[in-house]
Amino acid sequence: MALNDESLQELKAELLDELAKEVPSKSVLSLRLAETRSADIGEVLEEMIEDDEELPAALALLDILSAERAANVLGYLPGESQLEVVGKLDDSQVLKLLEEMGSDERADLFNLLNEDRREALLRRMAHREREDLKRLASYEEGTAGAIMTSDYVSIASGMTVSQAMMRVRQTAPDAETVYQLYILDSDGQLIGTMSLRQLMVARPGAIVDDIMIKDVISTRVDSAQEDVARIVAKYDLLALPVIDADERMVGIVTHDDAMDVAESEATEDFHKGMSIGQLEDGVSRVKLWSLYRKRVFWLVLLVFANLFSGAGIAYFEETIAAQVALVFFLPLLIGSGGNAGAQAATLMVRGMATGDVGVKDWGKLLGRELLVAGSLGITMAIAVTPIGIMRGGEALAMVVALSMVTIVLFGSLLGMCLPFVLERFKVDPATASAPLVTTLIDASGVVIYFSIATLLLTGL
Amino acid sequence: MALNDESLQELKAELLDELAKEVPSKSVLSLRLAETRSADIGEVLEEMIEDDEELPAALALLDILSAERAANVLGYLPGESQLEVVGKLDDSQVLKLLEEMGSDERADLFNLLNEDRREALLRRMAHREREDLKRLASYEEGTAGAIMTSDYVSIASGMTVSQAMMRVRQTAPDAETVYQLYILDSDGQLIGTMSLRQLMVARPGAIVDDIMIKDVISTRVDSAQEDVARIVAKYDLLALPVIDADERMVGIVTHDDAMDVAESEATEDFHKGMSIGQLEDGVSRVKLWSLYRKRVFWLVLLVFANLFSGAGIAYFEETIAAQVALVFFLPLLIGSGGNAGAQAATLMVRGMATGDVGVKDWGKLLGRELLVAGSLGITMAIAVTPIGIMRGGEALAMVVALSMVTIVLFGSLLGMCLPFVLERFKVDPATASAPLVTTLIDASGVVIYFSIATLLLTGL
């Protein structure tokens, strides 16, 4: 069964207890680790590594594991924790670990090391390994190249089914997946694909070229990782082949890595939706200074944007001074408009991220928003009218109700349109965050509310 | 290659053109459909089905496809579109489609039909099929049972490797995946698992029980679908076996379905973050009435919550009347507090959803937030001070700066703690939406601001 938090804590305590003994029993520890999954060991180690006092224990445990298992466990740790561990090991230990890691994880870790360490490690590698690592490490973060692995099963064009099957058995130990096979011509160009399932039911003497699927779904090495995740999800792929500018195959992105990308992209969008920049690590681990910087930028920018609301108020100071009761409804009105607008913006931003909403749908969605936001505005105006009458009489109630409809409708349309405008100007639509949208609506709401008040109340 | 929006539109236009001819060429259409992937045909059909005028074209295209292919394409359509199609078909056509669908998709579609139609279809099914369908259709939405398929490869305990391989070849055509095999004892209990890769490299005469992995990661049929997705992601599984209360195996959830669940759960959380209820369909397709209902509930509730801000203002009416310039800074201060608080809440809610933040981390995170929010407050206070001096002199500037620090700090701590409090009371932490958090901070901000103003300004 999968371990829950509690059993993970028990496991951790057990391991620490054993290690705290004068002569820890290596066989007890080995046994306990052998029966635990790498992902779970990873979670326990991650906690230990964070805690300076427990770090030696984490290193001792990694030392007990075989190099292959240790590399596997390391792959489940966030980059920062991997770096912490590698910092305590000498070059030959690191080399052994790198050798056993998947080629994608190897490149990720390598990219985190400092220049000197990288040079030292590269010098001790075989030529082929070195070139492969340098190539994988060179792809820009956030692209297909940076998340792909070069450990896939390639089949040469012209092979028979039984030759291909032999090749699968040979490559099985190292490949990330053996269930999808890629057929390459003599130039290394990707000309077809087939599943192991297809291969298994094919006639042994058949040529793979005759049974492969020729129209392969693939992606370019420089395409954005969120597009990679979307293709894998849309076509239910086990792995997506990656090709370079010359259509030569350079790697695959497996379904599990695509799922991880989708999750981290969603997290990034959640944060963007509140005007938080991209964090390098989880919120509980990221450095405080970084968290501050990623939050402060928009907050301060919006302080100045908020001055427009203040300016609006200053402009209507006379109206306000004449009827201070107006202020009572100010937070309510601009707050309601902001909420409705943030809803509309989020619906569009998420729809665009999942591919449900496209730029071409703009007209249709505008019409829909007009109807829905109008109904919302009227409902909220009805809700607020009795309070308006109670607080300031019928005239004030009319001002408030009218303002409510106008502000909610205006705010919703603004929130809905902003992501499309941003997309149009090649800015990430997720920039239409709740704080930005509500700040814009605050300023407009002030003007709308006090304009209506000045118009209707000064005549009465 | 994967098709982009433009080529999909071209494909659609081509198909519609051919169908508009007096005698459309079936072979032209067949060929075009044969070379297009089911996921892409699904996208084209989805658009056609939405448009009443194009619906007959969609039905004509489905009619050209083989039942197997049509069922496959149908699986890529949202439930509403499937229902639209099935509504135009007679029972025997629907039966043929259902037969060819994966067992999970079959159950989903079946659940959308009305009682009469369901009864009529069930009567015409074979006993075994009927029971399987009724069972799968009976699981509550949002659980492992509702997303699993019963088309997996089971191996009887005691089989040899070569017997198992034979079984794989036999079940291959119907199984969702043949790459992970499940070993069941005579009671149907799940006692082990192995990958096809392991099976392929094993000695043909070996007994599967001796080489299988006995500690299987599985989930209960009633566990929440988001937990299923999280387990699949954490352990990088191809499929997660599902067991009933008696530990009997009842199905598997495949990696692609888990990825779809993760996406729709993220979308739900995005919407919840703006106080929008769970939508039955994408934002561009969902019924307007439903969209209205899912948005209006919290909006109206928050109108009343916003009255607390109004009440606060009413309480301080004298202070305001004495210095109307105070109102200038009101939207700015409560807006800034709301933004910082919404950031803090979102960081926690998303962290909890991805498993990065647990209830046990509360103390540590509170300390971190105290430091970060304090720094944010001070920075924003510094930014606003010159404006305070310009608008109302040093005394007012001091009131505004002091209020800014206090409101941002208070708002951030409130936003950070609310998800934990909700989780504690078994309410979904995502209920701590930006609108709720900002409304709460608005009310508190009014009180904080005018209290400080009353204290400092009445003495001067």
Side-chain angles (χ1 to χ4, degrees):
Chain A
M1 292 294 284
L3 294 186
N4 58 23
D5 271 0
E6 218 169 299
S7 33
L8 279 174
Q9 290 306 322
E10 267 170 39
L11 169 64
K12 184 181 158 191
E14 239 177 89
L15 293 170
L16 285 174
D17 277 355
E18 187 61 38
L19 282 166
K21 287 185 185 162
E22 212 160 316
V23 190
S25 156
K26 221 174 140 171
S27 67
V28 167
L29 291 167
S30 292
L31 192 70
R32 202 72 185 82
L33 292 174
E35 65 188 23
T36 308
R37 279 186 193 75
S38 299
D40 290 323
I41 300 182
E43 235 172 90
V44 167
L45 285 191
E46 192 184 325
E47 277 197 30
M48 288 187 179
I49 293 165
E50 259 177 64
D51 186 332
D52 283 345
E53 273 174 45
E54 291 173 2
L55 178 58
L59 293 170
L61 290 173
L62 279 172
D63 199 46
I64 289 171
L65 297 172
S66 68
E68 189 189 344
R69 192 82 202 284
N72 208 330
V73 167
L74 222 52
Y76 285 101
L77 296 180
E80 284 296 313
S81 312
Q82 292 187 29
L83 209 51
E84 193 87 38
V85 167
V86 167
K88 305 281 180 201
L89 303 179
D90 62 36
D91 286 353
S92 50
Q93 287 174 307
V94 177
L95 269 177
K96 223 191 287 174
L97 280 174
L98 285 178
E99 219 165 90
E100 297 288 346
M101 288 178 109
S103 64
D104 46 347
E105 287 161 355
R106 186 191 306 153
D108 290 343
L109 174 53
F110 185 74
N111 270 336
L112 292 175
L113 300 174
N114 64 40
E115 190 81 34
D116 290 350
R117 191 93 204 241
R118 275 190 279 188
E119 286 303 321
L121 291 169
L122 280 178
R123 264 198 304 276
R124 298 179 59 171
M125 282 181 192
H127 176 74
R128 209 174 150 269
E129 253 177 66
R130 184 166 57 217
E131 291 311 307
D132 189 55
L133 176 55
K134 272 161 80 175
R135 191 170 54 78
L136 275 181
S138 71
Y139 296 113
E140 208 183 325
E141 232 187 292
T143 64
I147 52 169
M148 74 186 183
T149 168
S150 50
D151 305 327
Y152 58 92
V153 183
S154 64
I155 305 284
S157 166
M159 269 191 182
T160 63
V161 166
S162 54
Q163 284 172 322
M165 195 58 104
M166 191 107 76
R167 168 105 179 128
V168 170
R169 282 179 213 272
Q170 278 165 1
T171 17
D174 286 325
E176 288 260 334
T177 179
V178 297
Y179 303 132
Q180 196 68 34
L181 318 172
Y182 303 96
I183 294 94
L184 308 185
D185 67 12
S186 52
D187 290 334
Q189 290 192 332
L190 176 63
I191 59 168
T193 185
M194 64 195 306
S195 65
L196 180 59
R197 196 199 287 222
Q198 279 175 286
L199 191 72
M200 282 175 67
V201 298
R203 198 169 45 81
I207 303 293
V208 289
D209 299 59
D210 295 333
I211 44 175
M212 69 186 185
I213 296 165
K214 293 195 181 74
D215 176 28
V216 191
I217 303 177
S218 63
T219 196
R220 289 282 287 275
V221 73
D222 56 355
S223 46
Q225 62 173 10
E226 59 260 44
D227 295 333
V228 170
R230 214 174 296 144
I231 295 174
V232 170
K234 174 174 173 188
Y235 295 102
D236 297 341
L237 302 176
L238 265 175
L240 176 66
V242 182
I243 56 177
D244 66 12
D246 302 322
E247 309 231 338
R248 273 192 304 259
M249 177 146 181
V250 286
I252 56 169
V253 177
T254 52
H255 66 93
D256 48 320
D257 289 336
M259 196 167 179
D260 291 344
V261 165
E263 186 186 289
S264 69
E265 288 289 334
T267 298
E268 201 186 314
D269 281 353
F270 265 101
H271 293 170
K272 263 207 175 150
M274 295 301 153
S275 300
I276 304 168
Q278 194 183 343
L279 301 178
E280 299 85 20
D281 206 343
V283 62
S284 59
R285 281 185 310 271
V286 67
K287 291 205 179 67
L288 286 181
W289 167 238
S290 171
L291 190 57
Y292 165 82
R293 273 189 311 131
K294 298 302 166 74
R295 286 176 66 179
V296 82
F297 177 76
W298 273 98
L299 286 182
V300 168
L301 207 67
L302 291 174
V303 163
F304 292 105
N306 252 315
L307 289 178
F308 288 104
S309 311
I313 292 173
Y315 182 82
F316 291 103
E317 202 155 339
E318 266 177 57
T319 310
I320 299 169
Q323 189 145 5
V324 179
L326 281 172
V327 182
F328 179 90
F329 292 96
L330 182 62
L332 193 163
L333 288 171
I334 62 180
S336 297
N339 289 344
Q343 285 188 341
T346 298
L347 285 167
M348 293 307 119
V349 170
R350 182 60 185 166
M352 287 175 171
T354 58
D356 179 37
V357 167
V359 173
K360 65 176 167 45
D361 303 322
W362 184 79
K364 177 186 156 202
L365 287 163
L366 184 71
R368 288 168 60 94
E369 186 63 28
L370 213 60
L371 286 172
V372 173
S375 316
L376 291 173
I378 292 170
T379 313
M380 291 158 83
I382 293 172
V384 85
T385 300
I387 309 158
I389 296 177
M390 271 175 4
R391 281 286 311 169
E394 280 175 28
L396 184 68
M398 212 167 81
V399 169
V400 171
L402 209 58
S403 303
M404 182 66 102
V405 177
T406 317
I407 294 173
V408 167
L409 190 61
F410 175 83
S412 298
L413 294 179
L414 182 84
M416 195 225 110
C417 293
L418 194 56
F420 287 97
V421 174
L422 292 170
E423 173 85 19
R424 186 67 199 261
F425 289 98
K426 310 245 178 251
V427 180
D428 183 350
T431 312
S433 63
L436 176 60
V437 168
T438 52
T439 303
L440 292 176
I441 295 172
D442 277 359
S444 340
V446 164
V447 175
I448 293 173
Y449 177 36
F450 290 127
S451 297
I452 292 179
T454 309
L455 264 170
L456 291 191
L457 294 186
T458 49
L460 300 168
Chain B
M1 291 295 284
L3 295 185
N4 57 25
D5 271 0
E6 220 171 298
S7 34
L8 279 174
Q9 290 305 321
E10 270 170 39
L11 170 65
K12 184 182 161 189
E14 239 178 89
L15 292 170
L16 285 175
D17 277 356
E18 187 61 40
L19 282 166
K21 287 185 185 163
E22 213 161 317
V23 191
S25 157
K26 219 174 143 172
S27 68
V28 167
L29 291 167
S30 290
L31 192 70
R32 201 73 184 84
L33 291 174
E35 64 188 24
T36 308
R37 279 190 192 73
S38 301
D40 290 322
I41 301 183
E43 233 171 271
V44 168
L45 286 191
E46 192 184 326
E47 277 197 31
M48 289 187 178
I49 293 166
E50 259 177 65
D51 186 333
D52 283 346
E53 274 174 43
E54 292 174 2
L55 179 59
L59 293 171
L61 290 174
L62 277 172
D63 198 46
I64 289 170
L65 297 172
S66 68
E68 190 188 345
R69 192 84 202 284
N72 208 331
V73 168
L74 222 53
Y76 284 101
L77 297 179
E80 284 295 314
S81 312
Q82 291 188 30
L83 209 52
E84 193 87 37
V85 167
V86 167
K88 305 280 178 199
L89 303 179
D90 63 35
D91 285 354
S92 50
Q93 288 174 306
V94 177
L95 269 178
K96 224 192 285 174
L97 280 174
L98 285 178
E99 218 165 89
E100 297 288 346
M101 288 179 108
S103 63
D104 45 349
E105 288 161 353
R106 186 190 305 154
D108 290 342
L109 174 54
F110 184 75
N111 270 336
L112 291 174
L113 301 173
N114 64 39
E115 189 82 34
D116 289 351
R117 193 92 205 242
R118 275 189 280 188
E119 285 303 321
L121 290 169
L122 280 179
R123 264 199 303 274
R124 296 178 58 171
M125 282 180 193
H127 175 75
R128 209 175 151 267
E129 256 177 64
R130 185 166 57 218
E131 291 310 308
D132 189 54
L133 177 55
K134 274 161 78 174
R135 190 171 54 80
L136 275 181
S138 70
Y139 296 113
E140 208 183 324
E141 231 186 292
T143 64
I147 52 169
M148 73 185 184
T149 169
S150 49
D151 306 327
Y152 58 92
V153 183
S154 63
I155 305 284
S157 167
M159 271 192 181
T160 63
V161 166
S162 53
Q163 283 171 325
M165 194 60 101
M166 191 108 78
R167 168 104 180 130
V168 170
R169 282 180 212 273
Q170 279 166 3
T171 17
D174 287 324
E176 290 262 331
T177 179
V178 298
Y179 303 133
Q180 197 67 36
L181 318 171
Y182 302 95
I183 293 94
L184 308 185
D185 67 12
S186 52
D187 290 334
Q189 289 191 335
L190 175 64
I191 57 166
T193 186
M194 65 196 305
S195 66
L196 180 58
R197 196 199 287 221
Q198 279 176 287
L199 191 70
M200 282 174 66
V201 298
R203 196 170 46 81
I207 303 295
V208 288
D209 300 59
D210 295 333
I211 45 176
M212 69 186 185
I213 296 166
K214 294 195 181 74
D215 176 28
V216 191
I217 303 178
S218 63
T219 196
R220 288 284 288 273
V221 73
D222 55 356
S223 45
Q225 62 174 10
E226 59 261 43
D227 293 334
V228 170
R230 213 173 298 145
I231 294 174
V232 170
K234 174 173 174 188
Y235 295 102
D236 297 340
L237 302 176
L238 266 174
L240 176 66
V242 183
I243 56 175
D244 68 11
D246 302 323
E247 309 231 338
R248 273 192 304 257
M249 177 146 180
V250 288
I252 56 169
V253 177
T254 52
H255 66 94
D256 49 318
D257 289 337
M259 197 168 178
D260 291 344
V261 165
E263 185 185 290
S264 70
E265 289 288 333
T267 299
E268 202 187 312
D269 280 353
F270 266 101
H271 293 170
K272 263 207 173 150
M274 294 301 152
S275 300
I276 304 167
Q278 194 181 343
L279 301 178
E280 300 84 19
D281 207 341
V283 62
S284 59
R285 284 184 310 269
V286 68
K287 293 205 176 68
L288 287 181
W289 166 239
S290 171
L291 190 56
Y292 166 81
R293 272 189 311 132
K294 296 301 165 73
R295 286 174 66 178
V296 81
F297 177 74
W298 273 97
L299 286 181
V300 168
L301 207 66
L302 291 176
V303 163
F304 293 105
N306 252 314
L307 290 177
F308 288 103
S309 311
I313 291 174
Y315 182 81
F316 290 103
E317 205 155 337
E318 266 178 57
T319 310
I320 299 170
Q323 188 145 6
V324 179
L326 282 172
V327 182
F328 179 92
F329 293 96
L330 181 63
L332 194 163
L333 288 171
I334 63 180
S336 297
N339 290 344
Q343 285 188 341
T346 297
L347 285 168
M348 293 306 119
V349 170
R350 182 61 185 165
M352 287 176 171
T354 58
D356 178 37
V357 168
V359 173
K360 65 177 167 45
D361 303 321
W362 185 79
K364 176 186 157 202
L365 286 162
L366 184 71
R368 288 169 60 96
E369 186 63 28
L370 212 60
L371 286 172
V372 173
S375 315
L376 290 173
I378 292 169
T379 313
M380 292 158 84
I382 292 171
V384 86
T385 300
I387 309 157
I389 295 176
M390 271 172 7
R391 282 286 311 168
E394 280 176 29
L396 184 67
M398 211 167 85
V399 168
V400 170
L402 208 58
S403 302
M404 183 65 103
V405 177
T406 318
I407 293 173
V408 167
L409 190 60
F410 175 82
S412 298
L413 294 181
L414 182 84
M416 196 224 108
C417 293
L418 194 56
F420 286 98
V421 174
L422 292 169
E423 173 84 20
R424 185 66 200 261
F425 287 100
K426 309 244 178 253
V427 179
D428 184 351
T431 311
S433 63
L436 176 60
V437 168
T438 53
T439 303
L440 292 177
I441 295 172
D442 278 359
S444 339
V446 164
V447 175
I448 292 173
Y449 178 37
F450 291 127
S451 297
I452 292 179
T454 310
L455 265 171
L456 291 191
L457 294 184
T458 49
L460 300 168

